[in-house]
């Protein structure tokens, strides 16, 4: 058992893993000197410990305490280089565009033309009277750092995050809750599950309901040469294709090859044509996607397909939506050859029907009935597949009338997963508003605005409002029936007030990794003091080279005016930037900061500030790039010597870019100036600068998150259905739902596993 791995996973749940039994903890023991020293190191990183954990630490060896300290230091990045380009950057250097132009001319003509100045290690001449070079850690012209810092500030935080005790049993519970999650795993959960799969055996009675989660388990079984056991998780040909594509490209969603090629071309395009590598990148992606399998892999897939529990006609219909991909897969996997072998009769039947196209698709029948405006036939077909009925419910209501459609839908509503019902309730208001901007967020990171349904124009405001209320009544009544059907001996319930600011995680995928928390997208973080400090660190573990990542802030003022704080404008009303770094030093990375002053933002009339990061270099955001923000009730220091402004104890929230990232830009938070709170969100986009993050799209995503049912409201529905009395203190409740409970999104989604 790898204690370091379990420590990293536990930290995401505000906990510390100790390989001990709770029964062995002496709650009357006094903390030893090593334990007190260890707790002091935790405080420097912004953590404190619960009473149970404090006593449990006495049972841990000194060496283990040292190992945990090293692990937490690594997670918090305290040994990386956090020096920005400018020393003491809270005082602006006063550099201007003219300084860059004069420096450009001086380097073009050289000292021979009479320019006097200082030549830096990168070879650039900085003319006298331009940049104050004594204020820089590197070249102000090309953004190459020359100095790194070997320290960070510690212990400036006004609030500490309490860590709980996690034992082996707790880690197994997290493992099982991730496996049984009723919603798709986000980036953090997926990463945690992959690590835990290496530490714990797969439970024999594990119920894996999400197809994407099953892919991670199948990968492990294949690696362990247990491919036959994986066949029970592969119930359709699409499941097989999903795994094959996950094995090939690393994404648990099936992304068409042409989409990946087109996206690769966009990622490697550049504003300056000589640096554009889009065409080469597209060609490289095509080569990467070429299919080639050995005999062992071919036989494995043939067995999986032969064991599919569907008729040949059903299987062929299931394959039809990805027919082009299947034709190539069948050829690459030699499935036609294996179908002629003894014992592969079912595979032979599937391929025969598939190639002869001796089947009709359900979607084709629905489309035909809809085009003929045959409401009865369309609804009868939709009732056969409740999930797909839910996905086209709103459009069907507009086409055939809400009363008729909802009556048909209510017949099958209780057969649907709870998450789909909640998605309907969350989306109804925006869908039926003809003026509302809706978003499509494919995994490739290109956010699209969706035009309102044209049929909305046929209905007046009152009719549209009635439709929204009807949908809300339907999903709420269904959820009440589900909760009422649950057996519980509880009489009282406690709901933490903070849960009313946390949306239920349905429909929003998060691809980043949160190493020090597991907050759900849309969580509100109150700001303690008058300053918010954004930070970005990238280049960890990479050799020195040009790698230009940019941290920016988009400030929305009154009358729709916009201010920008970015590499091209280092200071503006209420914001200061630490300087534009375009190259990374050897292995330890580099950093950029932006300081936001709330009093100055309020004075300027700012309403919202969007936090963004971008890859100005060709390609996606750098792997292991970390972005987040710090806050404290007390002023946070900026080093005059080297500009270091990072303090792990002040970090309120941070996310790390994973290997599966496909985006070039990311909006990772929005500051509501009036409310003095930050909403964590994740909106990827494809652009070299922050200007690619459309303001309307950001507002649409904020509105979407605000419209979602909160965890607190969902628990209120549960309390009403089960006749539970709400109490004010967790200790007085039979069922207590605290903020710490909500840190495990998989536990939250257990509320959605209920069925009538």
């Amino acid at each position: 058992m790898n204690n370091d791995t379990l420590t990293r996973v536990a930290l995401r749940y505000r906990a510390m893993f100790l390989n001990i039994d709770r029964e062995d903890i002496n709650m009357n023991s006094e903390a030893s000197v090593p334990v007190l020293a260890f707790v002091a190191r935790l405080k420097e990183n912004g953590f404190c410990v619960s009473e149970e954990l404090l006593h449990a630490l006495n049972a841990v060896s000194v060496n283990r305490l040292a190992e945990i300290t090293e692990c937490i230091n690594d997670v918090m990045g305290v040994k990386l280089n956090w020096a920005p380009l400018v020393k003491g950057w809270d005082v602006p250097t006063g550099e201007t565009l003219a300084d860059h132009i004069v420096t450009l001319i001086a380097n073009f003509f050289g000292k021979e033309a009479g320019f006097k100045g200082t030549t830096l290690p990168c070879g650039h001449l900085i003319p006298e009277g331009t940049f104050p070079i004594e204020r820089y850690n590197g070249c102000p012209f090309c953004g190459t750092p020359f100095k790194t810092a070997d320290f960070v500030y510690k212990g400036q935080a006004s609030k500490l995050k309490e860590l709980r005790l996690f034992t082996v049993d707790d880690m197994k519970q997290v493992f099982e809750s991730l496996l049984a999650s009723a919603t798709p795993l986000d980036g953090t959960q997926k990463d945690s599950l992959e690590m835990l799969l290496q530490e714990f055996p797969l439970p024999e009675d594990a119920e894996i309901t999400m197809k994407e989660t099953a892919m991670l388990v199948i990968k492990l079984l294949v690696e362990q040469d247990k491919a036959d056991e994986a066949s029970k998780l592969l119930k359709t040909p699409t499941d097989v294709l999903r795994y094959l594509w996950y094995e090939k490209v690393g994404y648990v969603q099936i992304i068409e090859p042409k989409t990946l090629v087109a996206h690769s071309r966009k990622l490697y395009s550049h504003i300056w044509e000589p640096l554009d590598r889009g065409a080469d990148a597209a060609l490289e992606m095509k080569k990467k996607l070429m299919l080639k399998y050995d005999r062992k892999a071919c036989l494995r897939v043939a067995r999986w397909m032969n064991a599919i529990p569907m008729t040949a006609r059903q299987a062929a219909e299931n394959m039809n939506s990805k027919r082009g991909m299947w034709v190539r897969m069948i050829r690459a996997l030699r499935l036609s050859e294996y179908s002629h072998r003894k014992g592969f009769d079912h595979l032979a039947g599937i391929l025969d029907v598939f190639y002869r196209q001796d089947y009709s698709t359900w979607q084709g029948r629905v489309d035909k009935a809809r085009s003929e405006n045959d409401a009865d036939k369309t609804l009868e077909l939709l009732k056969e597949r409740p999930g797909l009925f839910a996905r086209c419910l709103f459009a069907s209501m507009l086409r055939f009338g809400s009363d008729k459609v909802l009556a048909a839908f209510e017949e099958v509503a209780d057969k649907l997963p709870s998450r789909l019902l909640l998605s309907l309730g969350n989306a109804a208001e925006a869908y039926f508003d003809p003026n509302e901007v809706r978003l499509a967020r494919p995994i490739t990171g290109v956010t699209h605005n969706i035009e309102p349904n044209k049929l909305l124009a046929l209905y007046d405001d009152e009719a549209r409002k009635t439709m929204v209320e009807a949908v809300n009544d339907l999903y709420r009544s269904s959820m009440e029936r589900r909760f009422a059907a649950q057996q519980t001996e509880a009489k009282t319930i406690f709901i933490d007030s903070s849960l009313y600011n946390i949306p239920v995680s349905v429909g929003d995928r998060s691809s980043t990794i949160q190493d020090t928390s597991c907050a759900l997208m849309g969580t509100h973080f109150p700001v303690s003091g008058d300053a918010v400090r954004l930070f970005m660190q990238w280049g960890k573990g990479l050799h020195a080279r040009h790698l230009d990542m940019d941290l920016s802030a988009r400030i929305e003022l009154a009358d729709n005016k916009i201010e920008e704080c970015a590499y091209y404008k280092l200071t503006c009303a209420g914001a200061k930037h630490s300087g534009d770094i375009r190259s990374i030093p050897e292995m330890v990375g580099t950093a950029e900061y932006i300081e936001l002053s709330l009093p100055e933002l309020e004075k300027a009339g700012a309403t919202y500030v969007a936090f963004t990061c971008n890859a100005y270099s060709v390609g996606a955001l750098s792997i292991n790039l970390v972005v987040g923000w710090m806050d404290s009730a007390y002023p946070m220091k900026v080093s005059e010597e080297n500009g270091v402004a990072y303090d792990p104890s002040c970090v309120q929230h941070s996310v790390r870019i994973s290997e599966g990232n496909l985006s070039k830009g990311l909006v990772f938070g929005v500051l509501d100036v009036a409310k003095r709170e930050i909403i964590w969100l994740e909106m990827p986009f494809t652009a070299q600068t922050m200007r690619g993050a459309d303001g309307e799209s950001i507002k649409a995503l904020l509105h979407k998150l605000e419209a979602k049912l909160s965890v607190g409201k969902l628990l209120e529905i549960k309390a009403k259905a089960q006749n539970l009395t709400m109490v004010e203190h967790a200790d007085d409740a039979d069922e207590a739902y605290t903020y710490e409970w909500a840190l495990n999104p998989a536990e939250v989604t257990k509320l959605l596993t209920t069925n009538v």
Side-chain angles (χ1 to χ4, degrees):
M1 184 178 294
N2 190 324
N3 288 332
D4 186 66
T5 297
L6 298 181
T7 298
R8 290 173 185 272
V9 174
L11 197 59
R12 296 172 180 177
Y13 298 94
R14 296 270 179 94
M16 182 180 296
F17 170 73
L18 299 179
N19 192 6
I20 62 174
D21 293 325
R22 275 193 164 83
E23 293 75 14
D24 297 334
I25 300 174
N26 182 0
M27 296 299 291
N28 296 317
S29 63
E30 292 187 5
S32 64
V33 173
V35 168
L36 292 176
F38 172 74
V39 172
R41 301 290 78 73
L42 287 179
K43 186 176 181 181
E44 291 176 346
N45 282 305
F47 300 110
C48 61
V49 298
S50 66
E51 183 180 359
E52 181 188 35
L53 177 56
L54 179 63
H55 291 291
L57 289 169
N58 284 321
V60 178
S61 69
V62 176
N63 289 338
R64 180 58 192 148
L65 293 177
E67 290 172 359
I68 295 173
T69 301
E70 284 297 312
C71 180
I72 292 178
N73 284 339
D74 184 57
V75 170
M76 301 304 295
V78 298
K79 294 186 178 181
L80 300 176
N81 169 45
W82 288 93
L85 187 64
V86 179
K87 305 173 184 177
W89 53 269
D90 52 333
V91 178
T93 61
E95 69 174 67
T96 63
L97 178 61
D99 294 331
H100 287 270
I101 294 174
V102 171
T103 304
L104 176 64
I105 295 172
N107 281 273
F108 183 79
F109 291 103
K111 290 185 177 181
E112 295 78 5
F115 287 97
K116 297 181 180 179
T118 303
T119 301
L120 299 179
C122 59
H124 288 123
L125 170 66
I126 306 300
E128 293 179 355
T130 57
F131 301 99
I133 57 175
E134 70 279 359
R135 293 285 310 280
Y136 292 86
N137 289 314
C139 176
F141 182 64
C142 70
T144 300
F146 305 140
K147 300 177 182 178
T148 58
D150 57 0
F151 89 102
V152 297
Y153 288 106
K154 290 185 176 181
Q156 298 178 100
S158 53
K159 292 182 180 179
L160 298 176
K161 308 178 193 71
E162 184 178 90
L163 297 180
R164 301 167 289 156
L165 170 65
F166 262 22
T167 63
V168 173
D169 289 339
D170 296 310
M171 295 306 301
K172 286 182 178 179
Q173 185 177 355
V174 170
F175 176 49
E176 291 171 4
S177 68
L178 290 172
L179 286 173
S181 175
T183 58
L185 302 183
D186 61 23
T188 307
Q189 294 170 305
K190 176 177 174 290
D191 187 67
S192 297
L193 180 57
E194 287 180 319
M195 289 194 286
L196 294 176
L197 280 168
Q198 302 299 324
E199 303 301 324
F200 298 117
L202 188 67
E204 294 182 2
D205 58 346
E207 293 185 10
I208 303 173
T209 58
M210 294 306 304
K211 301 292 186 183
E212 297 171 15
T213 305
M215 298 303 108
L216 307 180
V217 176
I218 292 170
K219 181 181 178 181
L220 176 68
L221 293 174
V222 171
E223 290 173 352
Q224 296 177 345
D225 203 23
K226 299 178 181 177
D228 290 340
E229 293 183 23
S231 62
K232 64 182 179 181
L233 298 173
L234 300 167
K235 299 177 181 178
T236 69
T238 299
D239 294 343
V240 176
L241 181 62
R242 187 189 298 276
Y243 175 74
L244 291 172
W245 208 234
Y246 167 59
E247 192 178 46
K248 182 69 178 175
V249 299
Y251 309 118
V252 289
Q253 296 84 23
I254 301 176
I255 309 175
E256 295 274 358
K258 62 181 180 181
T259 303
L260 289 171
V261 171
H263 185 67
S264 184
R265 182 180 288 107
K266 288 181 181 179
L267 278 180
Y268 286 85
S269 62
H270 200 279
I271 295 173
W272 193 35
E273 190 172 345
L275 296 179
D276 193 308
R277 289 189 52 238
D280 293 338
L283 186 60
E284 290 175 9
M285 179 57 72
K286 286 181 180 179
K287 292 180 180 178
K288 178 183 176 181
L289 296 178
M290 292 180 65
L291 302 175
K292 189 174 182 180
Y293 295 96
D294 57 25
R295 286 283 178 178
K296 183 178 180 181
C298 294
L299 179 58
R300 179 174 68 240
V301 176
R303 285 175 173 167
W304 284 345
M305 289 293 291
N306 196 59
I308 292 293
M310 303 176 77
T311 66
R313 194 177 298 275
Q314 290 172 333
E317 180 184 348
N318 181 265
M319 297 162 69
N320 186 74
S321 61
K322 301 293 181 184
R323 186 175 182 85
M325 295 181 69
W326 267 116
V327 168
R328 291 167 175 78
M329 281 290 183
I330 290 170
R331 185 183 303 120
L333 290 162
R334 303 179 178 89
L335 294 185
S336 295
E337 175 187 330
Y338 283 96
S339 69
H340 292 94
R341 293 190 179 185
K342 185 178 180 180
F344 287 88
D345 298 340
H346 189 43
L347 172 61
I350 292 173
L351 296 185
D352 180 58
V353 175
F354 177 75
Y355 276 117
R356 288 193 294 108
Q357 298 189 47
D358 186 18
Y359 58 90
S360 63
T361 66
W362 175 86
Q363 187 62 54
R365 296 192 295 274
V366 171
D367 291 341
K368 182 181 179 183
R370 187 183 288 124
S371 65
E372 294 173 350
N373 213 30
D374 188 338
D376 293 334
K377 187 174 182 180
T378 301
L379 295 176
E380 283 302 316
L381 287 168
L382 289 174
K383 284 192 291 185
E384 294 176 8
R385 301 190 180 182
L388 294 177
F389 195 171
R391 289 176 172 85
C392 66
L393 176 65
F394 298 158
S396 299
M397 289 169 64
L398 293 176
R399 179 179 287 272
F400 301 122
S402 61
D403 292 342
K404 188 170 188 175
V405 172
L406 287 176
F409 183 73
E410 197 160 11
E411 295 178 25
V412 296
D414 290 339
K415 298 179 182 179
L416 287 167
S418 299
R419 60 187 176 85
L420 277 183
L421 284 174
L422 288 182
S423 296
L424 293 175
N426 292 335
E429 184 178 352
Y431 187 93
F432 289 106
D433 185 346
N435 301 314
E436 183 71 27
V437 177
R438 295 186 294 123
L439 297 179
R441 298 179 57 220
I443 190 175
T444 50
V446 184
T447 302
H448 300 285
N449 291 345
I450 305 175
E451 292 295 324
N453 192 316
K454 293 180 180 179
L455 296 181
L456 286 170
L458 300 176
Y459 299 87
D460 58 23
D461 291 341
E462 190 62 32
R464 292 193 294 265
K465 184 178 179 181
T466 301
M467 290 182 182
V468 174
E469 292 173 352
V471 172
N472 286 332
D473 289 342
L474 186 147
Y475 95 82
R476 286 180 182 276
S477 61
S478 180
M479 289 303 300
E480 286 183 11
R481 290 196 299 272
R482 291 163 190 252
F483 283 126
Q486 287 182 328
Q487 294 183 353
T488 178
E489 297 180 358
K491 301 296 182 183
T492 57
I493 185 172
F494 169 77
I495 305 174
D496 195 306
S497 59
S498 63
L499 301 185
Y500 290 91
N501 289 325
I502 302 177
V504 179
S505 180
V506 174
D508 290 318
R509 296 180 187 275
S510 170
S511 59
T512 57
I513 295 175
Q514 304 170 55
D515 286 315
T516 57
S517 64
C518 280
L520 296 170
M521 193 187 303
T523 298
H524 293 229
F525 293 88
V527 176
S528 297
D530 287 335
V532 172
R533 183 171 295 170
L534 312 184
F535 62 87
M536 178 175 71
Q537 213 285 349
W538 77 101
K540 173 187 176 182
L542 300 177
H543 293 294
R545 65 186 185 196
H546 173 79
L547 188 63
D548 189 0
M549 303 289 127
D550 293 320
L551 179 67
S552 311
R554 182 181 187 273
I555 305 170
E556 184 170 326
L557 305 173
D559 302 324
N560 293 322
K561 293 181 180 179
I562 300 296
E563 279 278 11
E564 297 173 341
C565 184
Y567 69 90
Y568 48 81
K569 191 176 182 181
L570 300 181
T571 59
C572 67
K576 299 172 185 176
H577 196 291
S578 66
D580 181 30
I581 292 179
R582 281 161 273 174
S583 297
I584 58 173
E586 184 75 9
M587 304 305 286
V588 293
T590 191
E592 289 185 7
Y593 305 91
I594 291 178
E595 180 102 341
L596 300 172
S597 170
L598 271 70
E600 291 181 26
L601 290 170
E602 290 170 347
K603 184 178 179 180
T607 54
Y608 291 98
V609 182
F611 315 154
T612 71
C613 60
N614 295 80
Y616 191 83
S617 300
V618 293
L621 288 167
S622 176
I623 295 173
N624 288 329
L625 176 147
V626 176
V627 288
W629 62 84
M630 298 180 282
D631 86 321
S632 176
Y634 313 112
M636 295 176 285
K637 296 179 182 178
V638 175
S639 171
E640 294 183 7
E641 180 182 352
N642 50 34
V644 168
Y646 179 69
D647 184 336
S649 70
C650 294
V651 174
Q652 192 173 43
H653 191 63
S654 66
V655 296
R656 175 166 55 90
I657 301 299
S658 65
E659 292 185 9
N661 171 64
L662 284 174
S663 63
K664 196 171 183 65
L666 180 72
V667 179
F668 60 91
V670 173
L671 167 66
D672 186 325
V673 179
K675 293 182 179 179
R676 290 199 165 212
E677 62 183 18
I678 297 170
I679 303 100
W680 177 63
L681 53 81
E682 185 176 310
M683 192 187 87
F685 60 97
T686 300
Q688 281 184 260
T689 69
M690 68 177 296
R691 291 178 179 174
D694 176 50
E696 288 299 318
S697 297
I698 296 174
K699 290 180 182 177
L701 181 54
L702 280 174
H703 188 272
K704 179 181 177 182
L705 291 171
E706 290 171 0
K708 280 179 172 290
L709 183 73
S710 70
V711 175
K713 289 291 185 182
L714 180 61
L715 288 169
E716 279 190 5
I717 295 175
K718 170 184 167 69
K720 179 182 176 182
Q722 297 177 347
N723 296 316
L724 301 177
T725 303
M726 296 180 63
V727 296
E728 296 183 357
H729 302 288
D731 294 338
D732 300 331
D734 296 325
E735 291 185 8
Y737 296 95
T738 62
Y739 182 73
E740 287 72 27
W741 165 81
L743 288 174
N744 185 349
E747 284 295 310
V748 177
T749 59
K750 281 186 178 180
L751 293 171
L752 308 180
T753 59
T754 175
N755 290 302
V756 176

